[in-house]
Structure formats: structure tokens, C-alpha cells
């Protein structure tokens, strides 16, 4: 006999999900037909979109290495975890500093199921997962305090998540609440969709994505993205394409721009 209190989990496999589309673009297998259809639609409008996904992932690695090795950060609050792939935040951080503590936050049941199974901490450090929505910053912070020491610097990671908060005022309020909760020396890291590179094609891709049942999404330009860092000290080179944030290329080489911009800023 079935448990009367048991309720099936809706994974939303009949509608596209950003995390699963990202997984598809990165060559993963944790996606469904709706995700692949949406991913292919975007790729037809923006042929270089898979480069954006790879550039975003590479930015995560370069940025976390810089925060750990050069700034001494040992605590990370990664909101909008996404499906696990190679070199997740805790893997990059704990490779350099095994004692690092990482709290992942996501509200997608498939993402959380994979995270609990695959994102395993080093013995010296800690990795924890919170089922919560970015729109609930107070709840996120309260739960994160059980693992992170908010008297010491924390890196707030918002990669590929803030563009789903389409109202600017709400997005700025959420970011400010997160930043206000962490001490000086903390850092905010942002990666966000933009239309500055591909123009109207990006807006059209987002419109069609939402028509297919995808989560609302908005593209923001450099000026609006810089506004999230008000009161913070932007790390060089500021708000740029993910491919151009401290690239590991030879002198004079400039990687092609992608439609995912990023930045990192320090709270002084």
C-alpha cells in the first residue's frame, strides 16, 4: 500500500530547465528532450552559445583559484549550483585548500539529487547542500550559518542564476541582502547572460525559451551588471565576457567574447 503522505516529485521533464540545458551544451547526459530542443533552438539563433557555457565553467575555475590562492578565501556560498560537472566549486577550492567549506544552494530536485550523490567534500573540509530559492536570501543565510562562519570572509557565487530574477529592483535587493550579511574581505562573483554580444538574437532566444515553458530570464548589459557591485571593489578586469576574465592565454591574445558576462568584487 502506498504512503498517503508521499507525493511524487515533479522534475519538470516536459519543459526546458536552464541547468539541464547547460548540461546538454557541456556534453552531459543529465537532460531531457525538452532541454535538448530548447538548447538546439538557442544554438541555431546563437551558434556560439556552447562556447558561452564552456567559458562560464572555465571562469568559475579561474576565479575560485584566485580567491583561494591569492585572497585566502576558504568559504563559499554557491547559489544556483546547477548540475555537477568537472571542477565544481568545492573541487577547485579544496584542491588548493582542503579545509575549505562550501555550501551549495539550489531548488531543483534533480540538481539536488545529483549534488548529494556527486559533490563529496574532502575529509578536511565541509560541503553542504541547501534546498532553497534565491528569492529567499534570509532563509539561505540562516541555513548557511550552520556551516559557514560569517565572522570570516565568504565568497558568494551567483553564476547563471541572477538573470532569472527579471525585476531589477528585486535582483538588487537580493544581492544587497547577501552582501550585507558577510564581513569585509568577502567577495561576490557574478556570471550573467547579456545581449551585448549577440544583440537581438539573444533576446529572441530568451523569448522562445520562455514560450517553451522555461523559467523567465533577462539579459543585462555591463552598466546594469556593474550596479550589483556598488560599494564593492571590482577586481580587474571589471565586468567583461567570461572568456576575458583573466584568461590563461599568451600575451596579446584576446579570446572571442561570449554572451555570458562576469565580474568579481571585494567587500572592504
Amino acid at each position: 500500500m502506498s504512503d498517503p503522505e508521499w507525493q511524487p516529485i515533479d522534475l519538470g521533464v516536459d519543459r526546458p530547465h536552464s541547468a539541464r540545458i547547460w548540461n546538454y551544451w557541456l556534453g552531459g547526459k543529465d537532460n531531457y528532450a525538452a532541454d535538448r530542443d530548447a538548447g538546439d533552438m538557442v544554438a541555431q539563433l546563437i551558434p556560439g552559445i556552447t562556447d558561452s557555457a564552456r567559458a562560464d565553467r572555465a571562469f568559475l575555475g579561474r576565479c575560485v583559484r584566485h580567491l583561494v590562492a591569492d585572497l585566502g578565501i576558504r568559504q563559499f556560498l554557491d547559489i544556483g549550483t546547477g548540475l555537477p560537472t568537472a571542477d565544481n566549486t568545492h573541487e577547485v577550492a579544496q584542491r588548493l585548500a582542503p579545509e575549505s567549506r562550501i555550501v551549495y544552494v539550489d531548488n531543483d530536485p534533480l540538481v539536488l539529487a545529483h549534488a548529494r550523490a556527486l559533490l563529496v567534500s574532502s575529509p578536511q573540509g565541509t560541503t553542504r547542500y541547501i534546498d532553497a530559492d534565491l528569492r529567499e536570501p534570509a532563509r539561505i543565510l540562516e541555513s548557511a550559518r550552520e556551516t559557514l562562519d560569517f565572522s570570516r570572509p565568504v565568497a558568494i557565487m551567483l553564476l547563471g542564476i541572477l538573470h532569472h530574477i527579471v525585476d531589477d529592483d528585486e535582483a538588487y535587493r537580493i544581492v544587497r541582502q547577501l552582501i550585507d550579511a558577510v564581513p569585509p574581505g568577502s567577495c561576490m562573483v557574478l556570471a550573467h547572460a547579456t545581449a551585448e554580444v549577440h544583440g537581438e538574437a539573444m533576446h529572441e532566444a530568451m523569448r522562445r525559451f520562455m514560450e517553451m515553458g522555461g523559467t523567465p530570464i533577462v539579459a543585462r548589459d555591463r552598466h546594469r551588471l556593474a550596479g550589483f557591485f556598488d560599494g564593492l571593489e571590482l577586481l580587474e578586469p571589471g565586468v567583461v565576457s567570461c572568456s576575458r576574465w583573466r584568461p590563461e592565454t599568451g600575451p596579446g591574445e584576446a579570446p572571442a567574447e561570449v554572451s555570458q558576462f562576469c565580474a568579481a568584487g571585494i567587500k572592504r
Side-chain angles (χ1 to χ4, degrees):
M1 181 179 294
S2 61
D3 185 343
E5 296 184 359
W6 180 84
Q7 296 293 330
I9 297 174
D10 179 13
L11 296 179
V13 299
D14 59 336
R15 54 190 181 273
H17 189 284
S18 294
R20 299 193 302 254
I21 295 173
W22 219 245
N23 176 268
Y24 173 53
W25 285 335
L26 290 171
K29 298 179 180 179
D30 298 311
N31 49 76
Y32 298 92
D35 309 310
R36 295 188 288 273
D37 289 345
D40 291 341
M41 175 274 295
V42 175
Q44 288 180 354
L45 289 168
I46 307 171
I49 195 65
T50 56
D51 294 331
S52 291
R54 296 189 190 101
D56 176 276
R57 201 68 194 178
F59 162 67
L60 182 152
R62 294 195 304 275
C63 188
V64 171
R65 286 196 295 272
H66 175 64
L67 297 183
V68 173
D70 300 325
L71 300 183
I73 299 285
R74 297 293 184 269
Q75 301 189 109
F76 293 81
L77 179 57
D78 188 333
I79 305 175
T81 303
L83 287 161
T85 183
D87 281 348
N88 302 285
T89 298
H90 77 286
E91 292 171 319
V92 178
Q94 292 180 347
R95 193 175 299 138
L96 295 171
E99 72 277 16
S100 296
R101 292 170 168 257
I102 295 86
V103 171
Y104 289 105
V105 182
D106 211 298
N107 69 337
D108 179 75
L110 185 62
V111 170
L112 287 169
H114 280 270
R116 292 191 180 105
L118 299 178
L119 302 184
V120 180
S121 174
S122 68
Q124 302 95 319
T126 302
T127 304
R128 185 177 167 224
Y129 319 100
I130 298 173
D131 182 1
D133 191 293
L134 177 59
R135 294 175 179 83
E136 306 170 302
R139 179 184 169 196
I140 290 172
L141 292 167
E142 181 181 4
S143 296
R145 284 190 178 94
E146 298 175 12
T147 303
L148 304 179
D149 179 357
F150 276 56
S151 68
R152 301 173 59 196
V154 176
I156 300 169
M157 312 289 288
L158 296 170
L159 275 62
I161 181 66
L162 198 58
H163 48 222
H164 290 300
I165 308 295
V166 297
D167 180 79
D168 280 358
D169 289 340
E170 182 182 10
Y172 288 127
R173 176 186 60 77
I174 289 170
V175 167
R176 179 49 50 192
Q177 189 169 348
L178 293 170
I179 291 173
D180 286 347
V182 296
S186 295
C187 181
M188 185 183 76
V189 181
L190 176 65
H192 194 294
T194 183
E196 284 201 25
V197 178
H198 293 102
E200 186 55 36
M202 175 59 75
H203 291 301
E204 177 65 12
M206 289 181 167
R207 184 185 67 79
R208 294 190 191 180
F209 170 74
M210 289 184 282
E211 285 182 349
M212 297 171 77
T215 306
I217 187 170
V218 65
R220 292 185 171 101
D221 60 21
R222 295 172 203 259
H223 176 73
R224 290 162 77 191
L225 294 180
F228 290 111
F229 293 87
D230 285 350
L232 303 181
E233 178 185 320
L234 267 176
L235 297 178
E236 291 293 336
V239 180
V240 295
S241 170
C242 282
S243 57
R244 295 185 174 180
W245 196 92
R246 305 189 178 205
E248 296 168 344
T249 56
E253 296 181 34
E257 282 199 310
V258 296
S259 56
Q260 188 88 342
F261 278 5
C262 67
I266 300 293
K267 182 176 181 178
R268 297 300 188 187

